[in-house]
Amino acid sequence: MSAPLKDSSKFRPVVKNASFPQQEESILEFWRDNEIYDKSLAQREGQEKFVFFEGPPTANGKPHPGHCLTRAIKDLFPRYKTMRGYYCERKAGWDTHGLPVETEVSKQLGIHTKEEIEAHGVEPFIHLCQKSVWTYMQEWERLTERLGFWVKLDSAYVTYHQSYVESVWWSLKNLFDRGLLYQGHKIIWWWAQGGTGLSAGEVGQGYRTVMDPSVYILFPLLDRKNTSLLVWTTTPWTLPSNQFAAVNESIEYVTVHDPELDHNIVFAKDLVEKISQKVKRELEVKSTEPGSALVGLRYKPPFDYFYKDTGDQTGELADGGTEHVAWRVTSADFVTTDSGSGAVHEAPAFGEVDYELLVSEQARFKRGQGPEMICAVAPNGKFTDVAPEYEGQWVKDADKPITRQLKDEGKLYHQEQYQHEYPFCWRADDDPLIQYPRRSWFIKTTQFKDQMVANNQKINWLPEHIKDGRFGNFLDSNVDWALSRERYWGTPLPIWVCEATGEMESVDRYEDLIAKPGATGMEVWEKAKAADPDLVDDLKVHKPYIDHITYDSPFESGARMKRVPEVIDCWYDSGAMPFAQWGYPHQGKEQFEAQFPADFISEAIDQTRGWFYSQLAISTMMFGEDAAEGQKSFEYPLPFKNCIVLGLMLSEWWEDEKDKDGKKNIYLSPEEAKSAPGKPAHKVGKMSKSLRNYRAPDEIFDVYGADALRWYFFAKQPPWTSIQYSERQIKESVPEFLSRLWNVYNGFFVEYAILDDFSPSSLEKPGQLSHADLAGGEGYRPVAERGELDRWIISELHQTLDVVVNSMDAYDNYGSCTRITAFVEALSNWYVRRSRDRFWAKDKTAPEKLDAYWTLYECLTTTAKMIAPFVPFLAETIWQNLTSVFDGNARLSVHLCDYPLAEEGLIDADLSRRMGLLRDIASSGLSARANAKLKVRQPLSGVTVVLNDSADQSWLETHDEILKTELNVLDVKYTTDAGEFVTYQVVPNFKRLGPRVGKLMPKVKKAFSEADGGAILAELTDTGKSSLVVEGETIELDSEDVEVRLQANEGWAAAQGKQSVIVLATELTPELVRSGLARDVNRQVQERRKSLDLERSDHIKLYLVTESEELAQALSENKEYLMGETLANELHQEPPSDSIEPVECEIGEALLKIFVAKDVANGNQA
RNA sequence: GGGCGUGUAGCUCAGCUGGUUAGAGCGCGUCGCUGAUAACGACGAGGUCCCAGAUUCGAAUUCUGGCACGCCCA
C-alpha cells in the first residue's frame, strides 16, 4: 500500500507484521537520541521529590531473569511517580566488594585457599578483583537499558570508589568513637587444614551424613556426695576444653541410684526409661527436682588441664557477691530432652550457642573477673601442649582415645554411635569442618534494637507480613553485627593500633591519614601506580597499599600505629549506600539531605537479612535519636518508607544427561524436552548460575520483547508471589494484552482513520491530549452529546483510571494491571466490535462516525499514557504515531506526559451497569444458540429476554439493535413475566439473614426451597414485605433479604445469564433460511475477494451462478444486502461474458459458482 | 531443629474483613464468526480448595495439630 507519507496530517500507516522486539529497539533509539529520560526529570525539577534507592547488584555474574523482575519493579514506580508530577532521581549503583568476587578470581587462578592467595600475592590478586567486578558490566548495562529500566548509569555509585570507601570509613569512625565498635570472638565454621573460615553458603554446600560418637559422661558434683550429673556430648574431643554444664531450668530432673556402680546419677526425668534401656538395668528414682535447683552446683570436669590451675578461682559479680568462674551448672533454654540426658557439656570455644552462654556468664561478673574462654586446640585443628596426652593429634582422630581414657577412668557412663548431618569442606571433601573461635570486630547493634524495632514499625512493607514476620522476628533476635572479615577485597577496617600500648584510633580520610605525623608507606602505592599507570586510583585505599601506611603513635613516643588486618562485611557497604552514594559527609551533603530517606525500594526476599537490615541498622545508628553529637538526625531515621519484597523466582527446566563435562543440567523448553533423546528429568528450583537452568534474558527480549516480560511480571501475580518463571507465560502475555491492544490501535483505528481521512491535526494545541486538550478539534463533539456507546467507553476509561491510580498509589501493580486488562478487553471486544458499522459508514463526515473516531482516539491516547509505566515501549510506539499528525506540537514522548486522572463528570455508573447487563444478555444469547445448534449466520425471528428485575428494562428496550446484530435475530422482547419459560427461585440472602435467625438458618433455607418463590416475589414487589413461618416463629422479610434466581425450564432453547434468561424462537421459516443462505454466500464472496488480494475499498463485479432454485431465490431476495456487503457495483445471476476465473463452493446443499472481478471503471468510487 | 511463607482446575495464578453455585488466563475438546483474520466469540470437560480436628446456623477463608514444598537461619 502506498501511503501518503508526505501528508503529515494523516496517520502513518504501520508496517504489517511489525515485531514487538524490533519496535522496541527503535524506541530505545528514539529515547537515546532525544534524551527523553533526562527530559522527564528536567521537567519535574523543583517539584516534590519521590526518592528511590537502587540496591546495588553485584555485576560479576551474568544477569538472570530474576534480576529482570527486580529491575522491572524498580522502574515501574519511579516512572509512574514521575508522570504523577514528582521529581524522581534514579542513581544506579554497583556492589563490588566481597567474597563472591574473590571466589570468582580464585577460580580463574585455579587456587582455593588463603595461603594460595598470599603465595600468588595480594597485590596482583586485588588488581584482578577490581577488574573482575566489571566483567559482566556491559551485559548488565545492556539488560538494564533493553528492559527499559531508566536509571542513571553514568553517575552510578561504586562501592570500591575512594569517595564511597571514605564515606563508609566516616560512619565506622563515628561508631568507633562512640564505643560501638569492639573486638570479641566469633565462633565460625573453620576449615582447619586450609586455615580459613567458610561462609554460610559454603558450609551449606558441604553437609554429609556421618556417624559420630554420642557419649554420656559422669560429672561428679562437688556439693553432693557420691552423685554425678550425667552430661551428654557428640564431640568427645571438646571435653578437654569443657567450661560449663547446662541444664534447662524448666525441665524436671531426677536423681537415680545405679545399683551396679552404687552411685547416684542426675539427669532429666523424661529420660529415665530411655537411659535405663541403654545401660540395660533398672534405675531407682530417689528424688525429683526442677532444673533450677541444679543451677550453680559445682562439678569436677573429666580433664583437669585447666581445672588444676583455676578450678577454685572465683570472681566478683556485677551486682555483688562472688562466684566460681567456671565448672558450674548453668541454665540454658536450648537444652531439651529430645536426645541425650537433659544436661549438656559446654565448650564455648567450639560452639556458637556455647559461646553465647560464655558471654552471658561473663556479663554477670565485674569486668575482667569472669571466665575467660579456654581452648586446648590450635587453629590447625590439633591439640596444643595444654593437653599433653593428645598434643599434635587431629581433633577428630582424638575422639576414640579420649573416649577410651574416660572409660578406663570410669567416667564414661554410656556410649553409642549416632547418625547426623555434618559439614565438610566443599573443596576438600575429606576435611570435616569444626567450629572454632576467631577474633572479630563487632558493632554493638543490640544497643539499638528497640530503636530498630520502632523504626521497622514505620515502614510500609509489601506484603505486610514481612514487618512482624520475617523481618520483625529477625530484629527481635538481634545479635551484634560481626563486621570484620579476614579477607582481602573489601573496605579496609579503618582502625590503626599502637604497637606498644594497643591503643587504637580510627581515621576516615586517606588525606588525613597521610597527613599524620611521621606517616610512611605511601610510596608502595606510588611505585605500583608508576609501574602501571592504568591502575585505578581507588585502589590506594585498599589492601595491600593501605596496610603499608603507618604513622607515629600519639599514645607512646617512638611507637608506630599500624592498621588492623581485616576488611569489613560487604553488607555494610551496601547498607551505607544512602549516604555513601554521595560521598557524605566529605562531599554531597546537600544531595544526601535531600535524598533521605527513600520513598521506595524493592528487592527480593533474600535481602531481609541483607540490604534491608544493613540499611535499617546503619541508618538507625547514624541518624537516630542517639546519633553522635552534631550529627543531623532525621525525623525518620529509617532508610526507606515503602518496600516491596519480591518473591523468589524459581526456574523450570529439564535435566539432560547428554552433556558429560559435569554440567549436565541444560535448559530445555517444554517443546525441546519432548523431542530430546532419552528422558530429560523435569525439575523446578532456584535459578542458579552453576545449574544453567534458565534461558538468558536476551533471548526473551529478542523473541517476545521487553514489554512482554514486564507485563508478565506486573500483571500475572502480585510481585511478592514466588513465581515459577516460564517462557510460556511470557509468550501468553503477548496475545492476551499487547497484541489485543495493538489490534485495536493498528489493525483498526489507524487503518480506518487513513481510509476515512480522519485526523485530529486540526487541534492547535494538542498538548498532551488530555480530555480538555481534545475539545475544539474538527468534528469533535463533547462527550455528553455523543452516542451511548461512546459515553459508555469513556465512562469505563475513567473508572479504570480511578482504580489504576488508587492501586498504584498503594503500590499495587497487580490490581492496576487486572483493571487495565479488563478495560482493553472491553474496548476491543465491545466498543470496537459494536462500533464497526460507524467506521464503515460511507459518509466520512457523519457526526456519528467522527464521534467514533474522536472517542477511540481519546481512549487510545489515554491508554497509552495509562500503560506507559508498565509497558513503556508499546505505549511510546502508539503515542508516537497517534501524535505524528501534529508536526511536533504534541508532547514529544508519552513519558513526558502527566499521568491521566479520572474525571468524575465522565463516569456514568448506571450506564456501566446497564451495558454490563446487555453484554451478559448477548453472551447468554450466543450460548443459547450454541446449545440449540443454531449457528449465528442463520437469522432467527426473535428472542425473549426474561429479566429478574425490571429496573433496567426500558433502557434495554432502546438497545434492541445491538442484540439484534449480535444475535442475528429480527426481534427482541423483554419481559419480567416468567411465563412458561422460566421458574423463579427465591433463595435467602445468607449474609443478611444469618446473623438474624442464627441457628434457625438451615430450617429457613429449607422453608425457602419449599415455598412458592413466585408468590413471595409477588408479595415483595407489591407490598415490599413478606414473611415465612419457621418452627412457629414468623420471620419478616424485605426485598433485601432474598435473592431471586431464574431457572430456564426444560425444553426451550434458552440460556441463563447472571440476571436474566434468554429464550430463542427456534422456528425457521423458508424466508429465514434463505436469508441465512445469503449470509453464507456473502461469506464466500468475501473469501474470494481476499484470495484475489483486493483492497478493502475495491469495488467489484459479481456473478453468482447456481442451479438450485432455493439458492437463486435467496440471492435475488437479498441482492441489495449482498451488493452492499461485498462492494459489488453489479450483481448478476448468470456467468460473465469475459473470462473470469470462477470458484465453486457449497451453500447449504446447493452448489454455487462465484465470479469476482475488480471493477476498474468504478473502483474506489466512494 | 527454629522462623517465615506457600499448598485452590492439566499449567500459571486470583479469591478483601467467614455467607451456601470457588474464579481468570492459558492449554485441551466441540462449535461458531470471517471487512480486526497468524485476530475474535460461545460452549464443554476438568476441583475431596493438602490432610485431620475445632469454632460457627454457615469455613477455601478463622483456630489447633499434622503432611508436603520453598526461603532464611541454625
Side-chain angles (χ1 to χ4, degrees):
Chain A
M1 141 184 349
S2 64
L5 274 171
K6 283 172 194 162
D7 183 356
S8 70
S9 74
K10 277 201 169 194
F11 292 108
R12 289 192 296 251
V14 184
V15 193
K16 287 224 168 185
N17 302 328
S19 83
F20 287 128
Q22 275 169 21
Q23 286 178 5
E24 291 179 356
E25 297 283 359
S26 62
I27 292 294
L28 282 172
E29 210 171 300
F30 169 79
W31 287 343
R32 253 194 315 266
D33 294 348
N34 292 281
E35 298 174 325
I36 301 298
Y37 171 48
D38 291 329
K39 285 184 176 133
S40 78
L41 273 176
Q43 190 175 278
R44 303 302 187 195
E45 208 142 355
Q47 299 300 306
E48 194 179 330
K49 286 195 162 69
F50 180 76
V51 179
F52 164 75
F53 286 170
E54 159 76 330
T58 311
N60 82 321
K62 287 190 186 188
H64 67 57
H67 299 120
C68 295
L69 167 61
T70 321
R71 297 182 97 56
I73 288 278
K74 285 177 178 182
D75 183 59
L76 173 64
F77 289 97
R79 273 186 193 267
Y80 169 73
K81 288 290 181 178
T82 300
M83 288 182 78
R84 287 297 305 278
Y86 293 86
Y87 180 74
C88 178
E89 271 188 68
R90 282 151 269 179
K91 189 178 168 81
W94 303 103
D95 194 9
T96 55
H97 283 147
L99 199 60
V101 183
E102 290 192 24
T103 310
E104 191 70 30
V105 171
S106 297
K107 239 187 253 168
Q108 289 164 25
L109 295 172
I111 58 177
H112 292 312
T113 65
K114 283 171 73 180
E115 280 74 11
E116 286 168 314
I117 293 173
E118 306 257 356
H120 176 266
V122 174
E123 190 174 355
F125 184 76
I126 292 300
H127 295 174
L128 287 175
C129 285
Q130 187 269 329
K131 284 186 189 120
S132 139
V133 162
W134 304 113
T135 312
Y136 296 101
M137 187 66 187
Q138 282 189 329
E139 287 193 48
W140 274 85
E141 293 198 341
R142 211 177 60 225
L143 169 99
T144 301
E145 203 201 349
R146 184 62 189 83
L147 185 66
F149 178 25
W150 274 359
V151 64
K152 271 275 173 221
L153 289 168
D154 43 15
S155 62
Y157 66 89
V158 177
T159 57
Y160 76 65
H161 280 177
Q162 184 177 346
S163 68
Y164 198 98
V165 167
E166 289 182 332
S167 187
V168 171
W169 281 359
W170 161 76
S171 66
L172 290 171
K173 177 173 162 47
N174 182 308
L175 295 176
F176 179 83
D177 292 346
R178 288 155 69 196
L180 296 168
L181 205 53
Y182 69 93
Q183 267 188 301
H185 280 101
K186 184 174 164 62
I187 309 294
I188 57 173
W189 281 107
W190 180 251
W191 177 31
Q193 289 81 350
T196 187
L198 265 57
S199 71
E202 292 173 305
V203 175
Q205 283 177 43
Y207 274 91
R208 288 219 307 267
T209 303
V210 293
M211 295 298 284
D212 266 329
S214 161
V215 296
Y216 295 75
I217 312 294
L218 296 168
F219 280 19
L221 293 168
L222 301 183
D223 315 302
R224 295 187 184 179
K225 274 183 193 163
N226 195 30
T227 303
S228 288
L229 182 65
L230 188 65
V231 173
W232 178 69
T233 182
T234 56
T235 47
W237 62 267
T238 62
L239 283 166
S241 309
N242 170 273
Q243 249 173 318
F244 297 99
V247 297
N248 190 327
E249 283 186 310
S250 52
I251 294 176
E252 291 273 301
Y253 288 80
V254 290
T255 302
V256 301
H257 182 255
D258 184 310
E260 202 171 302
L261 302 179
D262 189 21
H263 190 71
N264 296 325
I265 302 172
V266 180
F267 57 87
K269 186 182 169 189
D270 293 350
L271 295 165
V272 173
E273 207 173 315
K274 255 192 197 170
I275 290 175
S276 295
Q277 278 169 10
K278 284 185 199 291
V279 299
K280 299 189 177 73
R281 52 185 176 262
E282 200 66 23
L283 299 171
E284 184 200 345
V285 176
K286 295 179 70 182
S287 64
T288 303
E289 62 195 323
S292 52
L294 299 169
V295 173
L297 295 179
R298 295 178 62 211
Y299 64 84
K300 186 177 185 308
F303 294 90
D304 64 355
Y305 303 133
F306 296 95
Y307 185 76
K308 65 178 189 289
D309 297 329
T310 52
D312 291 325
Q313 186 187 326
T314 58
E316 285 179 51
L317 292 169
D319 40 3
T322 59
E323 184 157 32
H324 283 87
V325 292
W327 300 292
R328 284 182 276 110
V329 177
T330 59
S331 139
D333 291 341
F334 57 79
V335 178
T336 68
T337 55
D338 293 345
S339 53
S341 63
V344 177
H345 145 70
E346 296 295 321
F350 307 116
E352 209 169 332
V353 288
D354 310 54
Y355 181 73
E356 278 167 28
L357 188 138
L358 176 73
V359 171
S360 63
E361 278 296 323
Q362 283 170 336
R364 295 176 56 221
F365 288 84
K366 283 189 177 164
R367 222 185 143 182
Q369 303 259 336
E372 289 298 321
M373 187 171 69
I374 60 177
C375 177
V377 177
N380 63 5
K382 294 174 179 172
F383 279 98
T384 62
D385 58 3
V386 171
E389 290 101 320
Y390 303 103
E391 188 182 350
Q393 245 188 74
W394 162 237
V395 290
K396 283 279 176 184
D397 292 338
D399 274 345
K400 272 186 185 162
I402 286 175
T403 310
R404 196 176 309 122
Q405 182 187 348
L406 293 172
K407 192 176 178 184
D408 293 345
E409 291 172 2
K411 293 169 182 164
L412 179 74
Y413 189 60
H414 178 71
Q415 70 163 314
E416 58 196 24
Q417 291 284 304
Y418 103 124
Q419 189 181 323
H420 67 146
E421 301 281 305
Y422 196 85
F424 286 71
C425 181
W426 60 281
R427 45 201 185 198
D429 48 8
D430 284 340
D431 296 350
L433 304 176
I434 58 173
Q435 296 212 305
Y436 196 78
R438 297 294 290 177
R439 296 290 284 178
S440 185
W441 288 85
F442 291 84
I443 300 174
K444 216 177 266 176
T445 51
T446 45
Q447 189 173 314
F448 296 87
K449 186 174 131 183
D450 293 346
Q451 284 180 47
M452 289 195 282
V453 168
N455 286 338
N456 174 38
Q457 288 303 316
K458 295 180 196 158
I459 296 170
N460 179 31
W461 290 97
L462 299 139
E464 222 184 324
H465 61 73
I466 300 287
K467 178 186 283 186
D468 294 317
R470 191 178 281 224
F471 196 72
N473 287 339
F474 176 60
L475 289 181
D476 284 339
S477 56
N478 185 261
V479 294
D480 284 347
W481 187 341
L483 180 72
S484 57
R485 297 287 181 272
E486 296 177 83
R487 301 296 311 188
Y488 308 97
W489 178 238
T491 300
L493 189 61
I495 292 173
W496 273 258
V497 189
C498 170
E499 59 187 356
T501 62
E503 295 277 350
M504 297 183 252
E505 66 176 16
S506 180
V507 181
D508 68 350
R509 298 180 84 172
Y510 188 77
E511 210 178 294
D512 294 351
L513 179 66
I514 60 177
K516 292 273 185 188
T520 60
M522 294 77 89
E523 69 284 356
V524 180
W525 160 252
E526 282 152 15
K527 269 186 210 159
K529 176 79 179 176
D532 180 2
D534 288 342
L535 283 185
V536 294
D537 286 337
D538 302 300
L539 284 179
K540 70 179 175 221
V541 295
H542 283 82
K543 272 167 117 35
Y545 307 110
I546 195 77
D547 291 339
H548 288 287
I549 301 180
T550 62
Y551 59 90
D552 291 340
S553 170
F555 304 103
E556 187 161 318
S557 75
R560 299 286 290 172
M561 298 294 282
K562 289 184 175 161
R563 198 187 74 85
V564 299
E566 291 97 341
V567 296
I568 67 166
D569 181 3
C570 59
W571 286 115
Y572 191 95
D573 287 349
S574 61
M577 159 273 161
F579 54 88
Q581 65 173 334
W582 309 108
Y584 181 87
H586 307 308
Q587 51 184 289
K589 224 167 168 154
E590 270 172 41
Q591 284 109 315
F592 167 61
E593 282 168 11
Q595 294 280 321
F596 184 87
D599 288 294
F600 169 68
I601 66 167
S602 179
E603 298 291 338
I605 191 162
D606 54 1
Q607 295 295 329
T608 309
R609 286 152 198 257
W611 193 50
F612 297 152
Y613 172 68
S614 65
Q615 272 191 96
L616 180 70
I618 294 173
S619 293
T620 303
M621 291 187 295
M622 298 304 298
F623 310 119
E625 41 192 274
D626 293 342
E629 224 165 295
Q631 174 57 49
K632 180 184 167 72
S633 71
F634 289 78
E635 190 185 345
Y636 294 101
L638 64 154
F640 45 90
K641 294 179 181 172
N642 300 286
C643 179
I644 296 184
V645 183
L646 302 172
L648 224 92
M649 192 174 295
L650 304 175
S651 181
E652 180 185 34
W653 77 98
W654 278 262
E655 186 181 85
D656 200 341
E657 297 285 347
K658 67 187 170 189
D659 193 346
K660 294 251 164 68
D661 65 352
K663 290 178 178 174
K664 57 186 176 183
N665 296 304
I666 295 181
Y667 182 92
L668 294 174
S669 67
E671 290 73 26
E672 289 165 345
K674 261 183 219 163
S675 55
K679 281 186 185 168
H682 182 226
K683 298 200 165 186
V684 170
K686 199 175 173 175
M687 285 187 181
S688 108
K689 257 197 293 187
S690 58
L691 285 176
R692 292 197 287 165
N693 58 1
Y694 53 85
R695 218 191 273 291
D698 278 342
E699 299 179 41
I700 301 294
F701 294 140
D702 292 345
V703 179
Y704 308 108
D707 279 343
L709 185 62
R710 292 172 66 114
W711 190 255
Y712 161 69
F713 289 146
F714 299 150
K716 291 283 181 163
Q717 62 278 310
W720 44 84
T721 309
S722 282
I723 50 171
Q724 197 172 302
Y725 177 81
S726 83
E727 272 184 56
R728 224 189 50 223
Q729 297 270 318
I730 300 166
K731 196 176 170 181
E732 281 167 12
S733 69
V734 177
E736 259 172 61
F737 178 72
L738 299 175
S739 54
R740 186 179 272 164
L741 179 58
W742 183 254
N743 278 328
V744 174
Y745 151 73
N746 181 37
F748 204 85
F749 179 81
V750 174
E751 215 159 308
Y752 285 98
I754 290 172
L755 281 179
D756 276 338
D757 300 320
F758 170 78
S759 170
S761 60
S762 51
L763 289 171
E764 278 172 22
K765 288 183 180 169
Q768 45 183 303
L769 300 174
S770 66
H771 181 70
D773 289 335
L774 293 174
E778 204 178 299
Y780 178 95
R781 293 199 297 184
V783 173
E785 291 171 22
R786 296 181 208 168
E788 200 158 47
L789 199 61
D790 296 337
R791 281 184 281 127
W792 170 73
I793 195 67
I794 294 287
S795 170
E796 290 292 312
L797 175 65
H798 282 264
Q799 283 182 325
T800 303
L801 290 173
D802 188 42
V803 171
V804 170
V805 166
N806 283 325
S807 312
M808 285 300 282
D809 286 348
Y811 296 93
D812 174 12
N813 52 281
Y814 177 69
S816 304
C817 289
T818 307
R819 193 65 179 86
I820 292 172
T821 306
F823 172 73
V824 171
E825 197 272 339
L827 182 67
S828 165
N829 290 332
W830 195 251
Y831 180 75
V832 168
R833 190 179 157 83
R834 292 279 20 99
S835 300
R836 280 190 229 176
D837 288 346
R838 288 192 288 165
F839 289 110
W840 301 334
K842 280 191 178 154
D843 182 359
K844 290 181 179 179
T845 57
E848 293 76 21
K849 180 168 199 152
L850 292 170
D851 284 349
Y853 276 117
W854 279 110
T855 303
L856 187 52
Y857 187 69
E858 180 169 355
C859 285
L860 287 170
T861 50
T862 309
T863 301
K865 289 186 276 185
M866 177 166 71
I867 63 173
F870 301 89
V871 283
F873 297 95
L874 180 62
E876 189 74 287
T877 308
I878 293 177
W879 180 263
Q880 288 308 319
N881 196 7
L882 290 180
T883 57
S884 65
V885 298
F886 296 117
D887 277 333
N889 279 330
R891 284 284 160 93
L892 179 59
S893 161
V894 71
H895 302 288
L896 298 176
C897 294
D898 294 336
Y899 203 77
L901 299 176
E903 289 182 35
E904 275 305 310
L906 295 170
I907 294 177
D908 184 341
D910 283 340
L911 182 55
S912 283
R913 188 192 69 247
R914 288 167 172 159
M915 196 65 87
L917 182 57
L918 188 60
R919 290 187 71 181
D920 183 54
I921 292 169
S923 150
S924 317
L926 287 168
S927 160
R929 292 195 71 121
N931 287 338
K933 301 218 180 300
L934 290 165
K935 55 186 182 178
V936 181
R937 226 180 292 151
Q938 173 60 59
L940 299 178
S941 61
V943 294
T944 305
V945 181
V946 187
L947 297 168
N948 62 356
D949 184 349
S950 61
D952 293 321
Q953 182 173 333
S954 54
W955 183 87
L956 288 167
E957 279 168 350
T958 61
H959 293 74
D960 285 356
E961 280 312 311
I962 292 179
L963 279 189
K964 284 183 193 167
T965 334
E966 279 292 308
L967 300 179
N968 194 18
V969 295
L970 302 179
D971 187 41
V972 178
K973 276 201 201 79
Y974 287 94
T975 175
T976 45
D977 180 12
E980 68 265 52
F981 311 126
V982 300
T983 309
Y984 285 103
Q985 215 184 339
V986 180
V987 292
N989 178 345
F990 287 92
K991 201 166 184 173
R992 221 153 170 270
L993 284 173
R996 221 157 79 206
V997 306
K999 292 193 179 185
L1000 274 179
M1001 204 63 223
K1003 281 169 183 150
V1004 172
K1005 185 182 173 186
K1006 198 167 169 231
F1008 264 102
S1009 69
E1010 285 163 358
D1012 178 354
I1016 296 181
L1017 190 62
E1019 206 179 338
L1020 279 171
T1021 320
D1022 290 348
T1023 66
K1025 279 183 183 171
S1026 182
S1027 61
L1028 265 182
V1029 179
V1030 177
E1031 299 244 306
E1033 273 190 56
T1034 306
I1035 293 161
E1036 299 290 338
L1037 301 170
D1038 63 25
S1039 53
E1040 298 270 298
D1041 290 329
V1042 298
E1043 279 168 29
V1044 182
R1045 287 184 192 152
L1046 294 180
Q1047 182 105 46
N1049 286 340
E1050 294 282 314
W1052 292 94
Q1056 238 170 288
K1058 285 177 186 129
Q1059 296 162 65
S1060 64
V1061 167
I1062 181 160
V1063 187
L1064 302 177
T1066 54
E1067 198 188 340
L1068 290 179
T1069 63
E1071 212 180 339
L1072 285 172
V1073 172
R1074 288 196 296 273
S1075 167
L1077 291 174
R1079 286 183 67 128
D1080 278 342
V1081 172
N1082 174 48
R1083 150 107 186 89
Q1084 293 298 335
V1085 175
Q1086 301 292 8
E1087 203 54 33
R1088 181 61 184 150
R1089 283 183 60 113
K1090 252 192 286 179
S1091 70
L1092 290 172
D1093 278 337
L1094 295 184
E1095 291 296 333
R1096 284 171 189 168
S1097 50
D1098 286 339
H1099 285 239
I1100 57 167
K1101 291 185 209 168
L1102 179 59
Y1103 303 83
L1104 299 169
V1105 182
T1106 178
E1107 287 175 7
S1108 156
E1109 272 180 39
E1110 191 193 26
L1111 183 53
Q1113 192 186 343
L1115 294 175
S1116 44
E1117 273 178 13
N1118 295 282
K1119 189 171 175 182
E1120 278 185 25
Y1121 158 79
L1122 285 170
M1123 288 174 72
E1125 290 292 314
T1126 62
L1127 293 185
N1129 290 337
E1130 40 194 281
L1131 193 166
H1132 308 279
Q1133 287 187 247
E1134 61 270 356
S1137 50
D1138 39 353
S1139 61
I1140 298 173
E1141 181 88 5
V1143 287
E1144 214 164 283
C1145 59
E1146 258 179 71
I1147 302 290
E1149 310 271 289
L1151 274 181
L1152 179 71
K1153 272 189 182 168
I1154 301 175
F1155 302 77
V1156 173
K1158 187 167 168 181
D1159 190 345
V1160 185
N1162 292 307
N1164 298 329
Q1165 63 176 205

